[in-house]
Amino acid sequence: MKSYIDQIRETKSGSVLNKLMLITSLEILLLMIFKASIHSFIYVFLLFNLYKFYLILFKNNRLTSPVFFASVVFIFWMSIGNFLNVLLTKYTDKEHYYEITLLISISYLMLLVGLAAGKKIKFPKIKRSYFYLDYKSGALILYIIILFSMASSVVYNYPIIKALIEGNYFGSRITMIFGRGYLNVLGSFHTYTLPFLFMIKFHKGLKVNWFDILLIFLSFFLVIIPLHRGPVLTLFLTYLFIFNDFKRPIPVKKLVKYGSVSVLLFGSIIPAVRGINRDFIEILRNEIGIHTWNLSHYIGMTEETGYFGLKPLTMALAILLPGHQVGFEIWIKDISPINVHVGGASMSLIGEGFMEYGLIGVMVNFFVLGLILAVLFNHRSYSYGFYFLFLYFLNRTESIIQFGFGKVLLTVIIVFVFINLINNFKPSTDTSVTN
């Protein structure tokens, strides 16, 4: 099984990866040397990150390359976000600015180190006892799962629809999951089962019929109902990645340009529907800079409370238990100095790692992220299931960097189990895997 990215040999991603590691190491060294005058060097660090963008966009511009996608996401949300905080909100007066800037640079370096280490890991093909069904039988199972999941999503989203009509959206947004986490899980199955089906159809050259198109519209409609930006973006990127790898490559430069505009539009339209009024400066800070802005609070808070260990991850899984279970981002706002009126506090993977075990936690988190991405990329062509798992995890990298592993841990586990159970599309001889 091959995609167009296997055919590209003009640029060796390893050379770009090495350059990025060298530049980031130099950046960290300068940060440590000029610690006392860090505020004067903010524009120098911006130039470092702009040059990283140049390397990524013009030297390794493959949409589903882990180096490309993870770097674009990280630099945009973390590095550029930190710079915007300085320009837009007088962040230079904020406590822990040096620690935050250093954490950002170290995090990116560990992400690159993880990507480099993962490239060297190769597992032998393991024979698994999959249920190898013919396409029609396998597709029938997928359609049944999709329709059942959509029915569960309707039941789960009913309180939100009612709350929007009654004008009590935010109260329901937090409390609707109490004791109903299983419905949320069942209702999400269509967001990866349907894209998985489309991936098979694209690869086999099968026609997409009117029923498939109808299911896509229903799938997006059900995801849009809660007015959460993340799931909508995740579903869109899933289809985009599949189309890019199995149908036709999409120019990355256009994606970056229109993607930046989309972030601002999502940051404007959805809050407006919720009844929140923001000016342009507030949109920039809340949509791009908020993930680094809150780090100062978390650093200060752990000085008093100590570290929380693996609590962010265990609480992410506890949502499936009966009773009033909430995520770590909801729980932490009640004991943090952050003034959060709606939803939960924005964590980021840096914040999550620091609250777990300090600097060590941050370094481990980003190394593990890079390692997983590289290993999945190396083995993506082993089967349809492996390829989909790689694309899905690469997609969720955007959420992981912004909100931490806890935000996506449950869904990633579910998708992993799903592709191991439903990976029943045995490639024919002419589409067998070659490394």
Side-chain angles (χ1 to χ4, degrees), residues 215-269:
L215 288 177
I216 282 185
F217 277 106
L218 286 175
S219 181
F220 271 99
F221 175 73
L222 291 171
V223 170
I224 289 172
I225 286 177
L227 297 180
H228 295 176
R229 289 156 299 198
V232 179
L233 179 60
T234 297
L235 187 58
F236 174 75
L237 284 176
T238 301
Y239 284 108
L240 193 68
F241 285 173
I242 290 172
F243 184 88
N244 181 82
D245 275 18
F246 290 90
K247 200 71 173 176
R248 185 169 62 251
I250 304 170
V252 175
K253 297 173 188 177
K254 289 185 178 180
L255 288 173
V256 174
K257 180 173 65 175
Y258 295 125
S260 301
V261 175
S262 300
V263 169
L264 297 179
L265 286 178
F266 265 90
S268 304
I269 295 174

CSV table of all heavy atoms in Angstrom, one decimal, residues 215-269:
chain,number,residue,atom,x,y,z
A,215,LEU,N,-24.0,10.6,4.6
A,215,LEU,CA,-23.4,10.3,5.9
A,215,LEU,C,-22.4,11.3,6.3
A,215,LEU,O,-22.3,11.7,7.5
A,215,LEU,CB,-22.8,8.9,5.8
A,215,LEU,CG,-23.8,7.7,5.8
A,215,LEU,CD1,-23.0,6.4,5.7
A,215,LEU,CD2,-24.7,7.7,7.0
A,216,ILE,N,-21.6,11.8,5.3
A,216,ILE,CA,-20.6,12.9,5.6
A,216,ILE,C,-21.3,14.1,6.2
A,216,ILE,O,-20.8,14.7,7.2
A,216,ILE,CB,-19.7,13.2,4.4
A,216,ILE,CG1,-18.7,12.1,4.2
A,216,ILE,CG2,-19.0,14.5,4.6
A,216,ILE,CD1,-17.7,12.4,3.1
A,217,PHE,N,-22.3,14.6,5.5
A,217,PHE,CA,-23.0,15.8,5.9
A,217,PHE,C,-23.6,15.5,7.3
A,217,PHE,O,-23.5,16.4,8.2
A,217,PHE,CB,-24.2,16.1,4.9
A,217,PHE,CG,-23.7,16.9,3.8
A,217,PHE,CD1,-23.6,16.3,2.5
A,217,PHE,CD2,-23.3,18.2,3.9
A,217,PHE,CE1,-23.1,17.0,1.4
A,217,PHE,CE2,-22.9,19.0,2.8
A,217,PHE,CZ,-22.8,18.4,1.6
A,218,LEU,N,-24.2,14.4,7.6
A,218,LEU,CA,-24.8,14.1,8.9
A,218,LEU,C,-23.7,14.0,9.9
A,218,LEU,O,-23.8,14.5,11.1
A,218,LEU,CB,-25.5,12.7,8.9
A,218,LEU,CG,-26.9,12.7,8.2
A,218,LEU,CD1,-27.4,11.3,8.1
A,218,LEU,CD2,-27.9,13.6,8.9
A,219,SER,N,-22.5,13.5,9.6
A,219,SER,CA,-21.4,13.4,10.5
A,219,SER,C,-20.9,14.7,10.9
A,219,SER,O,-20.8,15.0,12.1
A,219,SER,CB,-20.3,12.6,9.9
A,219,SER,OG,-19.2,12.4,10.7
A,220,PHE,N,-20.7,15.6,10.0
A,220,PHE,CA,-20.3,17.0,10.3
A,220,PHE,C,-21.4,17.7,11.1
A,220,PHE,O,-21.0,18.5,12.0
A,220,PHE,CB,-19.9,17.8,9.0
A,220,PHE,CG,-18.5,17.6,8.6
A,220,PHE,CD1,-18.2,16.7,7.6
A,220,PHE,CD2,-17.5,18.3,9.2
A,220,PHE,CE1,-16.8,16.6,7.2
A,220,PHE,CE2,-16.2,18.2,8.9
A,220,PHE,CZ,-15.8,17.3,7.9
A,221,PHE,N,-22.6,17.5,10.8
A,221,PHE,CA,-23.7,18.2,11.5
A,221,PHE,C,-23.7,17.8,12.9
A,221,PHE,O,-23.8,18.7,13.8
A,221,PHE,CB,-25.0,17.9,10.8
A,221,PHE,CG,-26.2,18.4,11.6
A,221,PHE,CD1,-26.5,19.8,11.5
A,221,PHE,CD2,-27.0,17.6,12.3
A,221,PHE,CE1,-27.6,20.3,12.2
A,221,PHE,CE2,-28.1,18.1,13.0
A,221,PHE,CZ,-28.4,19.5,13.0
A,222,LEU,N,-23.6,16.5,13.2
A,222,LEU,CA,-23.6,16.1,14.6
A,222,LEU,C,-22.3,16.6,15.4
A,222,LEU,O,-22.4,16.8,16.6
A,222,LEU,CB,-23.6,14.5,14.6
A,222,LEU,CG,-24.9,13.9,14.1
A,222,LEU,CD1,-24.7,12.4,14.0
A,222,LEU,CD2,-26.0,14.2,15.1
A,223,VAL,N,-21.2,16.7,14.7
A,223,VAL,CA,-20.0,17.2,15.3
A,223,VAL,C,-20.1,18.7,15.6
A,223,VAL,O,-19.6,19.2,16.6
A,223,VAL,CB,-18.8,16.9,14.5
A,223,VAL,CG1,-17.5,17.6,15.0
A,223,VAL,CG2,-18.5,15.4,14.4
A,224,ILE,N,-20.8,19.4,14.7
A,224,ILE,CA,-20.9,20.9,14.9
A,224,ILE,C,-21.9,21.3,16.0
A,224,ILE,O,-21.7,22.3,16.7
A,224,ILE,CB,-21.4,21.5,13.5
A,224,ILE,CG1,-20.2,21.4,12.5
A,224,ILE,CG2,-21.8,23.0,13.7
A,224,ILE,CD1,-20.7,21.9,11.1
A,225,ILE,N,-22.9,20.5,16.3
A,225,ILE,CA,-23.9,20.8,17.3
A,225,ILE,C,-23.4,21.3,18.6
A,225,ILE,O,-23.9,22.3,19.1
A,225,ILE,CB,-24.9,19.6,17.5
A,225,ILE,CG1,-25.8,19.4,16.3
A,225,ILE,CG2,-25.8,19.8,18.7
A,225,ILE,CD1,-26.7,18.2,16.4
A,226,PRO,N,-22.4,20.7,19.2
A,226,PRO,CA,-21.9,21.2,20.5
A,226,PRO,C,-21.2,22.5,20.5
A,226,PRO,O,-20.8,23.1,21.5
A,226,PRO,CB,-21.0,20.1,21.0
A,226,PRO,CG,-21.4,18.9,20.2
A,226,PRO,CD,-21.8,19.4,18.9
A,227,LEU,N,-20.9,23.0,19.2
A,227,LEU,CA,-20.2,24.3,19.0
A,227,LEU,C,-18.8,24.2,19.6
A,227,LEU,O,-18.3,25.2,20.2
A,227,LEU,CB,-21.0,25.4,19.6
A,227,LEU,CG,-22.3,25.7,19.0
A,227,LEU,CD1,-23.0,26.9,19.7
A,227,LEU,CD2,-22.2,25.9,17.5
A,228,HIS,N,-18.2,23.1,19.5
A,228,HIS,CA,-16.7,22.9,19.9
A,228,HIS,C,-15.9,23.0,18.6
A,228,HIS,O,-16.2,22.2,17.7
A,228,HIS,CB,-16.5,21.6,20.6
A,228,HIS,CG,-17.2,21.5,22.0
A,228,HIS,ND1,-17.2,20.4,22.7
A,228,HIS,CD2,-17.9,22.4,22.6
A,228,HIS,CE1,-17.8,20.6,23.8
A,228,HIS,NE2,-18.3,21.8,23.8
A,229,ARG,N,-14.9,23.8,18.6
A,229,ARG,CA,-14.1,23.9,17.4
A,229,ARG,C,-13.2,22.7,17.2
A,229,ARG,O,-13.0,22.3,16.0
A,229,ARG,CB,-13.2,25.2,17.5
A,229,ARG,CG,-13.9,26.5,17.4
A,229,ARG,CD,-13.2,27.6,18.1
A,229,ARG,NE,-13.0,27.3,19.5
A,229,ARG,CZ,-12.7,28.2,20.4
A,229,ARG,NH1,-12.5,29.5,20.0
A,229,ARG,NH2,-12.5,27.9,21.7
A,230,GLY,N,-12.7,22.1,18.2
A,230,GLY,CA,-11.7,21.0,18.1
A,230,GLY,C,-12.2,19.8,17.3
A,230,GLY,O,-11.6,19.4,16.3
A,231,PRO,N,-13.4,19.2,17.7
A,231,PRO,CA,-13.9,18.1,16.9
A,231,PRO,C,-14.1,18.4,15.5
A,231,PRO,O,-13.9,17.5,14.6
A,231,PRO,CB,-15.2,17.7,17.7
A,231,PRO,CG,-15.0,18.2,19.1
A,231,PRO,CD,-14.2,19.5,18.9
A,232,VAL,N,-14.6,19.6,15.2
A,232,VAL,CA,-14.9,19.9,13.8
A,232,VAL,C,-13.6,20.0,13.0
A,232,VAL,O,-13.5,19.4,11.9
A,232,VAL,CB,-15.6,21.3,13.7
A,232,VAL,CG1,-15.9,21.7,12.2
A,232,VAL,CG2,-16.9,21.3,14.4
A,233,LEU,N,-12.6,20.6,13.5
A,233,LEU,CA,-11.3,20.7,12.9
A,233,LEU,C,-10.6,19.3,12.7
A,233,LEU,O,-10.1,19.0,11.7
A,233,LEU,CB,-10.3,21.6,13.7
A,233,LEU,CG,-8.9,21.8,13.1
A,233,LEU,CD1,-9.0,22.4,11.7
A,233,LEU,CD2,-8.1,22.6,14.0
A,234,THR,N,-10.8,18.5,13.8
A,234,THR,CA,-10.2,17.1,13.7
A,234,THR,C,-10.9,16.3,12.6
A,234,THR,O,-10.2,15.6,11.8
A,234,THR,CB,-10.4,16.4,15.1
A,234,THR,OG1,-9.7,17.1,16.1
A,234,THR,CG2,-9.9,15.0,15.0
A,235,LEU,N,-12.2,16.4,12.5
A,235,LEU,CA,-12.9,15.6,11.4
A,235,LEU,C,-12.5,16.1,10.1
A,235,LEU,O,-12.3,15.3,9.1
A,235,LEU,CB,-14.4,15.7,11.6
A,235,LEU,CG,-15.2,14.8,10.7
A,235,LEU,CD1,-14.9,13.3,10.9
A,235,LEU,CD2,-16.7,15.0,11.0
A,236,PHE,N,-12.4,17.4,9.9
A,236,PHE,CA,-12.0,18.0,8.6
A,236,PHE,C,-10.6,17.6,8.2
A,236,PHE,O,-10.4,17.2,7.1
A,236,PHE,CB,-12.1,19.5,8.7
A,236,PHE,CG,-11.6,20.2,7.5
A,236,PHE,CD1,-12.3,20.2,6.3
A,236,PHE,CD2,-10.4,20.9,7.5
A,236,PHE,CE1,-11.9,20.9,5.1
A,236,PHE,CE2,-9.9,21.5,6.3
A,236,PHE,CZ,-10.6,21.5,5.2
A,237,LEU,N,-9.7,17.6,9.2
A,237,LEU,CA,-8.3,17.3,8.9
A,237,LEU,C,-8.2,15.8,8.5
A,237,LEU,O,-7.4,15.4,7.7
A,237,LEU,CB,-7.4,17.6,10.1
A,237,LEU,CG,-7.0,19.1,10.2
A,237,LEU,CD1,-6.2,19.3,11.5
A,237,LEU,CD2,-6.3,19.6,9.0
A,238,THR,N,-9.0,14.9,9.2
A,238,THR,CA,-9.0,13.5,8.9
A,238,THR,C,-9.3,13.2,7.4
A,238,THR,O,-8.6,12.5,6.7
A,238,THR,CB,-10.0,12.7,9.8
A,238,THR,OG1,-9.7,13.0,11.1
A,238,THR,CG2,-10.0,11.2,9.5
A,239,TYR,N,-10.4,13.9,6.9
A,239,TYR,CA,-10.7,13.7,5.5
A,239,TYR,C,-9.6,14.4,4.6
A,239,TYR,O,-9.3,13.8,3.5
A,239,TYR,CB,-12.1,14.3,5.2
A,239,TYR,CG,-13.2,13.5,5.7
A,239,TYR,CD1,-14.0,13.8,6.8
A,239,TYR,CD2,-13.5,12.3,5.1
A,239,TYR,CE1,-15.0,13.0,7.3
A,239,TYR,CE2,-14.6,11.5,5.5
A,239,TYR,CZ,-15.3,11.9,6.6
A,239,TYR,OH,-16.4,11.1,7.0
A,240,LEU,N,-9.1,15.5,5.1
A,240,LEU,CA,-8.1,16.2,4.3
A,240,LEU,C,-6.8,15.3,4.1
A,240,LEU,O,-6.3,15.2,3.0
A,240,LEU,CB,-7.7,17.5,4.9
A,240,LEU,CG,-6.9,18.5,4.1
A,240,LEU,CD1,-7.7,19.0,2.9
A,240,LEU,CD2,-6.4,19.6,5.0
A,241,PHE,N,-6.4,14.7,5.2
A,241,PHE,CA,-5.2,13.8,5.1
A,241,PHE,C,-5.5,12.6,4.2
A,241,PHE,O,-4.6,12.2,3.4
A,241,PHE,CB,-4.9,13.3,6.5
A,241,PHE,CG,-4.2,14.3,7.4
A,241,PHE,CD1,-4.0,14.0,8.8
A,241,PHE,CD2,-3.9,15.5,6.9
A,241,PHE,CE1,-3.4,15.0,9.6
A,241,PHE,CE2,-3.2,16.5,7.7
A,241,PHE,CZ,-3.0,16.2,9.0
A,242,ILE,N,-6.7,12.0,4.3
A,242,ILE,CA,-7.0,10.8,3.5
A,242,ILE,C,-7.0,11.2,2.0
A,242,ILE,O,-6.5,10.5,1.2
A,242,ILE,CB,-8.3,10.2,4.0
A,242,ILE,CG1,-8.2,9.6,5.3
A,242,ILE,CG2,-8.8,9.2,2.9
A,242,ILE,CD1,-9.4,9.1,6.0
A,243,PHE,N,-7.7,12.3,1.7
A,243,PHE,CA,-7.7,12.8,0.3
A,243,PHE,C,-6.3,13.1,-0.2
A,243,PHE,O,-6.0,12.8,-1.3
A,243,PHE,CB,-8.6,14.1,0.3
A,243,PHE,CG,-8.8,14.6,-1.1
A,243,PHE,CD1,-9.9,14.1,-1.9
A,243,PHE,CD2,-8.0,15.5,-1.7
A,243,PHE,CE1,-10.1,14.6,-3.2
A,243,PHE,CE2,-8.1,16.0,-3.0
A,243,PHE,CZ,-9.2,15.5,-3.7
A,244,ASN,N,-5.5,13.7,0.7
A,244,ASN,CA,-4.2,14.1,0.3
A,244,ASN,C,-3.3,12.9,0.0
A,244,ASN,O,-2.5,12.9,-1.0
A,244,ASN,CB,-3.5,14.9,1.4
A,244,ASN,CG,-2.1,15.4,1.1
A,244,ASN,OD1,-1.9,16.4,0.4
A,244,ASN,ND2,-1.1,14.6,1.5
A,245,ASP,N,-3.4,11.8,0.8
A,245,ASP,CA,-2.5,10.6,0.6
A,245,ASP,C,-3.1,9.6,-0.4
A,245,ASP,O,-2.3,8.9,-1.0
A,245,ASP,CB,-2.3,10.0,1.9
A,245,ASP,CG,-1.2,10.6,2.7
A,245,ASP,OD1,-0.8,11.8,2.4
A,245,ASP,OD2,-0.6,10.0,3.6
A,246,PHE,N,-4.4,9.6,-0.5
A,246,PHE,CA,-5.0,8.5,-1.3
A,246,PHE,C,-5.7,9.0,-2.6
A,246,PHE,O,-6.1,8.2,-3.4
A,246,PHE,CB,-6.0,7.7,-0.5
A,246,PHE,CG,-5.3,6.8,0.5
A,246,PHE,CD1,-5.1,7.3,1.8
A,246,PHE,CD2,-4.9,5.5,0.2
A,246,PHE,CE1,-4.4,6.6,2.8
A,246,PHE,CE2,-4.2,4.8,1.2
A,246,PHE,CZ,-4.0,5.3,2.5
A,247,LYS,N,-5.9,10.3,-2.7
A,247,LYS,CA,-6.5,10.8,-3.9
A,247,LYS,C,-5.7,11.7,-4.7
A,247,LYS,O,-5.2,11.5,-5.8
A,247,LYS,CB,-7.8,11.5,-3.5
A,247,LYS,CG,-8.9,11.6,-4.6
A,247,LYS,CD,-9.5,10.3,-5.0
A,247,LYS,CE,-10.6,10.5,-6.0
A,247,LYS,NZ,-11.2,9.2,-6.4
A,248,ARG,N,-5.4,12.9,-4.1
A,248,ARG,CA,-4.5,13.9,-4.8
A,248,ARG,C,-3.9,14.8,-3.8
A,248,ARG,O,-4.5,15.3,-2.9
A,248,ARG,CB,-5.4,14.7,-5.7
A,248,ARG,CG,-4.7,15.7,-6.6
A,248,ARG,CD,-5.6,16.3,-7.7
A,248,ARG,NE,-6.7,17.1,-7.1
A,248,ARG,CZ,-8.0,16.7,-7.2
A,248,ARG,NH1,-8.3,15.6,-7.7
A,248,ARG,NH2,-8.9,17.5,-6.6
A,249,PRO,N,-2.5,15.0,-3.9
A,249,PRO,CA,-1.8,15.9,-3.0
A,249,PRO,C,-2.3,17.3,-3.1
A,249,PRO,O,-2.6,17.8,-4.1
A,249,PRO,CB,-0.4,15.8,-3.5
A,249,PRO,CG,-0.4,15.3,-4.9
A,249,PRO,CD,-1.6,14.4,-5.0
A,250,ILE,N,-2.4,17.9,-1.9
A,250,ILE,CA,-2.9,19.3,-1.8
A,250,ILE,C,-1.7,20.2,-1.5
A,250,ILE,O,-0.9,19.9,-0.7
A,250,ILE,CB,-3.9,19.4,-0.6
A,250,ILE,CG1,-5.0,18.4,-0.9
A,250,ILE,CG2,-4.4,20.8,-0.5
A,250,ILE,CD1,-5.9,18.3,0.3
A,251,PRO,N,-1.6,21.3,-2.3
A,251,PRO,CA,-0.5,22.3,-2.1
A,251,PRO,C,-0.4,22.8,-0.6
A,251,PRO,O,-1.4,23.4,-0.1
A,251,PRO,CB,-0.8,23.4,-3.0
A,251,PRO,CG,-1.6,22.8,-4.1
A,251,PRO,CD,-2.4,21.8,-3.4
A,252,VAL,N,0.7,22.6,0.1
A,252,VAL,CA,0.7,22.9,1.5
A,252,VAL,C,0.7,24.4,1.8
A,252,VAL,O,0.2,24.8,2.7
A,252,VAL,CB,2.0,22.2,2.1
A,252,VAL,CG1,2.2,22.6,3.5
A,252,VAL,CG2,1.9,20.7,2.0
A,253,LYS,N,1.3,25.1,0.9
A,253,LYS,CA,1.4,26.6,1.1
A,253,LYS,C,0.0,27.2,1.2
A,253,LYS,O,-0.2,28.1,2.0
A,253,LYS,CB,2.2,27.2,0.0
A,253,LYS,CG,3.7,26.8,-0.1
A,253,LYS,CD,4.4,27.3,-1.3
A,253,LYS,CE,5.8,26.7,-1.5
A,253,LYS,NZ,6.5,27.1,-2.7
A,254,LYS,N,-0.9,26.7,0.3
A,254,LYS,CA,-2.3,27.2,0.4
A,254,LYS,C,-2.9,26.8,1.7
A,254,LYS,O,-3.7,27.5,2.3
A,254,LYS,CB,-3.1,26.7,-0.8
A,254,LYS,CG,-2.7,27.3,-2.2
A,254,LYS,CD,-3.6,26.8,-3.3
A,254,LYS,CE,-3.2,27.4,-4.6
A,254,LYS,NZ,-4.1,27.0,-5.7
A,255,LEU,N,-2.6,25.6,2.1
A,255,LEU,CA,-3.2,25.1,3.4
A,255,LEU,C,-2.8,26.0,4.6
A,255,LEU,O,-3.6,26.3,5.4
A,255,LEU,CB,-2.8,23.6,3.6
A,255,LEU,CG,-3.5,22.6,2.7
A,255,LEU,CD1,-2.9,21.2,3.0
A,255,LEU,CD2,-5.0,22.5,3.0
A,256,VAL,N,-1.5,26.3,4.6
A,256,VAL,CA,-1.0,27.2,5.7
A,256,VAL,C,-1.7,28.5,5.6
A,256,VAL,O,-2.1,29.1,6.7
A,256,VAL,CB,0.5,27.3,5.6
A,256,VAL,CG1,1.0,28.3,6.7
A,256,VAL,CG2,1.2,25.9,5.8
A,257,LYS,N,-1.8,29.1,4.4
A,257,LYS,CA,-2.4,30.4,4.3
A,257,LYS,C,-3.8,30.4,4.7
A,257,LYS,O,-4.3,31.2,5.5
A,257,LYS,CB,-2.2,30.9,2.9
A,257,LYS,CG,-2.8,32.3,2.6
A,257,LYS,CD,-2.5,32.8,1.2
A,257,LYS,CE,-3.1,31.9,0.1
A,257,LYS,NZ,-2.9,32.4,-1.2
A,258,TYR,N,-4.6,29.5,4.1
A,258,TYR,CA,-6.0,29.5,4.4
A,258,TYR,C,-6.3,28.9,5.8
A,258,TYR,O,-7.3,29.2,6.4
A,258,TYR,CB,-6.8,28.6,3.4
A,258,TYR,CG,-6.7,29.3,2.0
A,258,TYR,CD1,-6.3,28.5,0.9
A,258,TYR,CD2,-7.1,30.6,1.8
A,258,TYR,CE1,-6.2,29.1,-0.3
A,258,TYR,CE2,-7.1,31.2,0.6
A,258,TYR,CZ,-6.6,30.4,-0.5
A,258,TYR,OH,-6.6,31.0,-1.8
A,259,GLY,N,-5.4,28.1,6.3
A,259,GLY,CA,-5.5,27.5,7.7
A,259,GLY,C,-5.5,28.6,8.7
A,259,GLY,O,-6.2,28.6,9.7
A,260,SER,N,-4.6,29.6,8.6
A,260,SER,CA,-4.4,30.7,9.5
A,260,SER,C,-5.7,31.5,9.5
A,260,SER,O,-6.2,31.9,10.6
A,260,SER,CB,-3.2,31.5,9.2
A,260,SER,OG,-2.0,30.8,9.2
A,261,VAL,N,-6.3,31.7,8.4
A,261,VAL,CA,-7.5,32.5,8.3
A,261,VAL,C,-8.6,31.7,9.0
A,261,VAL,O,-9.5,32.3,9.7
A,261,VAL,CB,-7.9,32.8,6.8
A,261,VAL,CG1,-9.2,33.5,6.7
A,261,VAL,CG2,-6.8,33.7,6.2
A,262,SER,N,-8.7,30.4,8.7
A,262,SER,CA,-9.7,29.6,9.3
A,262,SER,C,-9.7,29.6,10.8
A,262,SER,O,-10.7,29.6,11.5
A,262,SER,CB,-9.6,28.1,8.8
A,262,SER,OG,-9.7,28.1,7.5
A,263,VAL,N,-8.5,29.6,11.4
A,263,VAL,CA,-8.4,29.7,12.9
A,263,VAL,C,-9.0,31.0,13.4
A,263,VAL,O,-9.8,30.9,14.4
A,263,VAL,CB,-6.9,29.7,13.3
A,263,VAL,CG1,-6.7,30.0,14.8
A,263,VAL,CG2,-6.3,28.3,13.0
A,264,LEU,N,-8.8,32.1,12.7
A,264,LEU,CA,-9.4,33.3,13.2
A,264,LEU,C,-10.9,33.4,13.0
A,264,LEU,O,-11.6,33.9,13.8
A,264,LEU,CB,-8.7,34.5,12.5
A,264,LEU,CG,-7.2,34.7,12.7
A,264,LEU,CD1,-6.7,35.9,11.9
A,264,LEU,CD2,-6.9,34.9,14.2
A,265,LEU,N,-11.3,32.7,11.9
A,265,LEU,CA,-12.8,32.7,11.6
A,265,LEU,C,-13.5,31.8,12.6
A,265,LEU,O,-14.5,32.2,13.2
A,265,LEU,CB,-13.0,32.2,10.2
A,265,LEU,CG,-12.7,33.1,9.0
A,265,LEU,CD1,-13.0,32.4,7.7
A,265,LEU,CD2,-13.6,34.4,9.1
A,266,PHE,N,-12.9,30.6,12.9
A,266,PHE,CA,-13.4,29.8,13.9
A,266,PHE,C,-13.5,30.5,15.3
A,266,PHE,O,-14.4,30.3,16.1
A,266,PHE,CB,-12.6,28.5,14.1
A,266,PHE,CG,-13.2,27.4,13.2
A,266,PHE,CD1,-12.8,27.2,11.9
A,266,PHE,CD2,-14.1,26.5,13.8
A,266,PHE,CE1,-13.3,26.1,11.2
A,266,PHE,CE2,-14.6,25.4,13.1
A,266,PHE,CZ,-14.2,25.2,11.8
A,267,GLY,N,-12.4,31.3,15.5
A,267,GLY,CA,-12.4,32.0,16.8
A,267,GLY,C,-13.4,33.1,16.9
A,267,GLY,O,-13.7,33.6,18.0
A,268,SER,N,-13.9,33.5,15.7
A,268,SER,CA,-14.9,34.6,15.7
A,268,SER,C,-16.3,34.1,15.6
A,268,SER,O,-17.2,34.6,16.4
A,268,SER,CB,-14.6,35.6,14.5
A,268,SER,OG,-13.3,36.0,14.5
A,269,ILE,N,-16.5,33.2,14.7
A,269,ILE,CA,-17.9,32.8,14.4
A,269,ILE,C,-18.5,32.0,15.6
A,269,ILE,O,-19.6,32.3,16.1
A,269,ILE,CB,-17.9,32.0,13.1
A,269,ILE,CG1,-17.5,32.8,11.9
A,269,ILE,CG2,-19.3,31.4,12.9
A,269,ILE,CD1,-17.4,32.1,10.6
